[in-house]
Amino acid sequence: MRVLVLSDIHANLTALETVLAHAEKTKFLGETGFQQVWCLGDVVGYGPDPNECVARLRTLGDDLLCVAGNHDWAVLDKLPVDDFNPEARRAVLWTREQLTPASRAFLEELPDEPLVRGDFTITHASPRHPIWEYIIHPATARENFAFFDTPYCLIGHTHVPVIFLCRQETQSGESKNVCRALAPLYDKALGLAGEHRLILNPGSVGQPRDSDPRAAYAMLDTEQAIWHYRRVPYPYELTQARMRTANLPYRLIARLAYGW
Ligand code: ZN
């Protein structure tokens, strides 16, 4: 099955539409299109289009698989807003006021436990703490391999595309569980299978934080275990203009142009 993997849309409809259109028309393993969309959480928060992003995802119907993120929970008051920095908190409170009953119902139904589909575990933050934990360093990734059983786990949350590879290695005659971080490759598809397990982060659609403002996503062939990182420019000025109209915090508007 061909899957479009996306995460951290953060109510940025312009970025979401750009990614969906790009994934639809760009060839992956010789063909265009995809059968499913796997969304790794944080559909809302930060951006100006929470209802529009939910509505767009709902048009995917049964082809969509989506888990809850910390911002999705915060706007539903399932997490205290005091846990967020001041700008994020303002965006959460603004989003709460905007949400329609239909959007709220969609977010309420998002599972907060990891989902398993074949060889893939799907979660927002980490398999150990699906809503909150940040897997930034290989040491954190290594601990998390004990919390899922499949060869691969897909996560979002950090807004940084990365693959954590973990395997047994013999060093100085001693067998050790070694984990390292691999930077994304955009120019070719990657076979995932090997004597290792992987945690993969596609990066963020609506608010990238790796100094690259282009929207990030990945294509996945689940049978062949082939993964392809993608980046696509989108007109972030349009998103910024709607954020200004909504009076969202300046820092959240500014960061979209730089990817921080
Ligand atoms: Zn996020």
Side-chain angles (χ1 to χ4, degrees), residues 5-228:
V5 183
L6 44 81
S7 191
D8 297 276
I9 298 163
H10 283 295
N12 186 341
L13 183 69
T14 307
L16 175 60
E17 292 287 14
T18 301
V19 161
L20 289 168
H22 189 258
E24 194 66 62
K25 69 169 194 256
T26 309
K27 277 194 177 169
F28 171 54
L29 305 177
E31 284 177 60
T32 55
F34 46 85
Q35 277 103 39
Q36 285 212 338
V37 175
W38 291 357
C39 167
L40 311 179
D42 278 2
V43 174
V44 301
Y46 294 133
D49 319 304
N51 293 313
E52 293 80 357
C53 286
V54 168
R56 184 66 180 91
L57 290 181
R58 290 178 71 197
T59 64
L60 298 166
D62 291 342
D63 297 336
L64 174 73
L65 201 70
C66 189
V67 294
N70 53 313
H71 284 258
D72 304 319
W73 265 32
V75 300
L76 297 173
D77 216 357
K78 291 185 177 182
L79 275 184
V81 285
D82 296 346
D83 292 352
F84 287 76
N85 68 51
E87 283 102 3
R89 193 182 311 149
R90 256 180 72 193
V92 165
L93 296 175
W94 178 86
T95 305
R96 275 186 195 167
E97 288 172 13
Q98 310 302 314
L99 278 191
T100 62
S103 300
R104 187 172 289 275
F106 174 88
L107 297 175
E108 289 275 8
E109 281 170 20
L110 298 180
D112 56 7
E113 290 295 317
L115 302 175
V116 176
R117 293 292 181 274
D119 286 341
F120 297 85
T121 298
I122 300 153
T123 190
H124 177 61
S126 80
R128 176 166 59 184
H129 299 297
I131 299 294
W132 256 115
E133 182 177 31
Y134 287 89
I135 304 187
I136 295 168
H137 302 293
T140 319
R142 189 175 57 208
E143 292 171 7
N144 266 282
F145 280 95
F147 291 83
F148 66 101
D149 299 320
T150 56
Y152 317 111
C153 179
L154 308 183
I155 62 163
H157 194 44
T158 64
H159 300 204
V160 175
V162 65
I163 297 176
F164 294 102
L165 181 150
C166 213
R167 67 181 171 203
Q168 287 297 124
E169 287 183 13
T170 304
Q171 293 178 350
S172 320
E174 211 184 313
S175 180
K176 279 189 175 170
N177 198 15
V178 177
C179 199
R180 33 177 84 81
L182 309 176
L185 292 174
Y186 296 108
D187 55 350
K188 63 174 180 187
L190 188 68
L192 301 181
E195 297 293 308
H196 53 238
R197 295 171 71 211
L198 304 172
I199 294 175
L200 304 107
N201 189 327
S204 168
V205 170
Q207 195 202 74
R209 291 182 192 159
D210 58 344
S211 306
D212 182 343
R214 296 175 299 168
Y217 72 97
M219 294 297 295
L220 169 68
D221 183 296
T222 54
E223 279 86 28
Q224 302 180 70
I226 294 176
W227 174 269
H228 194 178

